[in-house]
Amino acid sequence: MERTSWAAFGRTVVAALVAVAAFCAGEASGLRFSPGRGEFKILQVADMHYGNGGTTGCLDVLPAQMAGCSDLNTTAFLERVIRAEQPDLIVFTGDNIFGLDASDAGRSMEAAFAPAVAAGIPWAAVLGNHDQESTLTREEVMKYIVAMNHSISFLNPPSTTAPMDGYGNYNLEVQGVASSKLENKSILNLYFLDSGDYSTVPFIPGFDWIKPSQQVWFQTTSSLLQNDYTSEPEAQTKPAPGLVYFHIPLPEFALLEAQNHTGVKQESVGSPIINSGFFTTMVEAGDVKAVFTGHDHINDLCGKLSGIELCYAGGFGYHAYGKAGWPRRARVVLASLEKNKQSHGWGGVQSIKTWKRLDDPYLSTIDIQTLWQKESLTDELGK
């Protein structure tokens, strides 16, 4: 898109968003840091590839695991990891169902998300490139997810009146601890985007990409959240950290060097061949600390590029392709608050850590790492 049309398009969308800037999706979600622990934990589940339940067989497991293996193994793993981690939010990052092998999309989604619903834990989802291949369109799939129990997903930003590409673009805000100075501010911002399925542009094959309308929405939302956080009352000096979730990795994932990441890369990055510039958009926004995707099932690395951690979750579902002997896995993210040394009250986010849980006999925890750490006041003054 030419620079002039980009600008005109941006002004239209921004005007529409600013007119309703008072809307706060996060407040409606009710997400808040725990007063006892000063923590907020997110469980990421990528690529369940759910089909028809017990009749849908497994892929890429050891011969000894094959007998009786089905979607029910995916369900059992999700139940196990929820019990072990007790997350505050569960995020499903696409290919939640494998549409080609799901005879009824609604029934498959009910089964796939059942452990989250039964646990009564808030959950949010985005779409992958296979969710719409069954009996519902992409829009209908997202509408179904939005309407499910305990889902705090949105079809698209309720405040957006301008056209928006995709379905499942929204943000959630995590408020400070109740009765703390930051109880009415979002101290952790979560962004969700629809990375699409397949290119519809003639002569451009492969996967879809995050479009200009989505990037303008992200820029505007990030700017509004940063302005609120650094304004009175209780004005903060720097923006609250942001985390971004979508399905298809960006081309920049391929730039991560082996010595600069934790985890493994066992297949090529399945990104679109078009670089729409969303990574640059996030860098320029200034608040994003980490990006979390799925799509490439046997990659589970996290690596930093231009100040942003780019992370895969690793494949979760047993009907998804994988690697025999390499356990299915989930990613956990833990945001922890700083505590005022004088008042002992909770403040903003101090650190963001991550690890993975494996579906092995021990539900092993591996690759614990710090994704982001707030600079101390001494560090800031010394610059």
Side-chain angles (χ1 to χ4, degrees):
M1 183 177 290
E2 295 180 0
R3 184 179 299 274
T4 53
S5 57
W6 243 112
F9 180 81
R11 285 194 295 272
T12 301
V13 177
V14 169
L17 286 168
V18 170
V20 285
F23 176 83
C24 175
E27 289 184 35
S29 73
L31 300 178
R32 187 177 290 278
F33 275 77
S34 161
R37 297 177 289 115
E39 295 175 342
F40 190 86
K41 184 184 290 185
I42 303 170
L43 171 65
Q44 180 192 0
V45 176
D47 299 276
M48 288 192 292
H49 276 233
Y50 217 91
N52 289 326
T55 62
T56 300
C58 297
L59 299 176
D60 298 327
V61 296
L62 295 171
Q65 297 174 290
M66 187 62 76
C69 188
S70 72
D71 281 335
L72 301 185
N73 291 64
T74 302
T75 297
F77 180 27
L78 185 51
E79 290 172 341
R80 285 181 79 199
V81 75
I82 288 174
R83 285 196 302 269
E85 291 290 356
Q86 293 294 301
D88 299 290
L89 174 68
I90 305 172
V91 175
F92 296 92
T93 50
D95 283 1
N96 308 298
I97 64 172
F98 188 71
L100 295 177
D101 291 336
S103 56
D104 184 306
R107 291 182 63 182
S108 291
M109 284 190 284
E110 293 286 348
F113 298 124
V117 174
I121 295 171
W123 60 276
V126 294
L127 302 182
N129 52 294
H130 291 301
D131 292 284
Q132 77 290 340
E133 295 172 340
S134 180
T135 55
L136 297 176
T137 67
R138 197 168 183 84
E139 180 179 7
E140 289 169 339
V141 168
M142 197 64 212
K143 284 181 175 178
Y144 199 102
I145 288 171
V146 169
M148 291 182 69
N149 287 339
H150 304 297
S151 170
I152 54 174
S153 313
F154 288 86
L155 179 64
N156 270 330
S159 58
T160 302
T161 57
M164 172 75 76
D165 286 283
Y167 304 100
N169 304 287
Y170 57 101
N171 71 290
L172 298 172
E173 302 175 19
V174 187
Q175 307 292 315
V177 170
S179 300
S180 72
K181 290 184 177 180
L182 298 178
E183 67 173 334
N184 295 318
K185 284 186 179 286
S186 176
I187 61 176
L188 179 67
N189 297 314
L190 311 178
Y191 304 96
F192 303 84
L193 293 104
D194 181 6
S195 54
D197 45 32
Y198 303 97
S199 170
T200 59
V201 179
F203 312 114
I204 300 179
F207 297 111
D208 210 347
W209 53 89
I210 295 172
K211 304 296 198 305
S213 65
Q214 297 167 282
Q215 296 191 48
V216 172
W217 165 78
F218 166 80
Q219 288 173 313
T220 304
T221 304
S222 171
S223 179
L224 290 170
L225 290 168
Q226 292 187 48
N227 183 67
D228 180 70
Y229 195 63
T230 56
S231 299
E232 295 293 347
E234 299 298 332
Q236 303 298 300
T237 57
K238 291 190 175 182
L243 308 178
V244 182
Y245 290 88
F246 49 89
H247 181 70
I248 299 175
L250 302 172
E252 283 79 6
F253 273 68
L255 300 179
L256 297 175
E257 298 179 1
Q259 66 271 24
N260 193 35
H261 66 67
T262 301
V264 298
K265 179 185 176 185
Q266 302 178 110
E267 62 177 309
S268 60
V269 175
S271 62
I273 64 174
I274 291 294
N275 191 327
S276 67
F278 185 53
F279 182 76
T280 300
T281 297
M282 290 188 291
V283 172
E284 290 176 345
D287 63 332
V288 175
K289 307 306 177 187
V291 171
F292 302 95
T293 69
H295 192 57
D296 300 331
H297 304 178
I298 56 175
N299 292 341
D300 73 347
L301 58 88
C302 269
K304 184 175 286 188
L305 186 67
S306 298
I308 296 178
E309 292 280 354
L310 301 177
C311 298
Y312 283 107
F316 190 95
Y318 279 85
H319 185 52
Y321 77 82
K323 184 178 180 180
W326 194 70
R328 266 59 175 183
R329 58 202 59 210
R331 180 171 292 281
V332 181
V333 171
L334 181 68
S336 302
L337 301 183
E338 60 184 346
K339 206 162 192 179
N340 187 293
K341 295 180 180 179
Q342 296 176 332
S343 66
H344 302 289
W346 294 114
V349 177
Q350 175 69 39
S351 67
I352 299 173
K353 297 182 179 180
T354 189
W355 58 86
K356 287 161 290 192
R357 284 280 195 164
L358 307 186
D359 193 18
D360 61 15
Y362 310 101
L363 204 63
S364 301
T365 299
I366 66 167
D367 292 342
I368 301 172
Q369 65 182 113
T370 298
L371 297 177
W372 176 77
Q373 183 84 33
K374 181 179 179 179
E375 297 174 329
S376 69
L377 182 59
T378 301
D379 291 338
E380 292 181 19
L381 292 176
K383 290 184 176 180

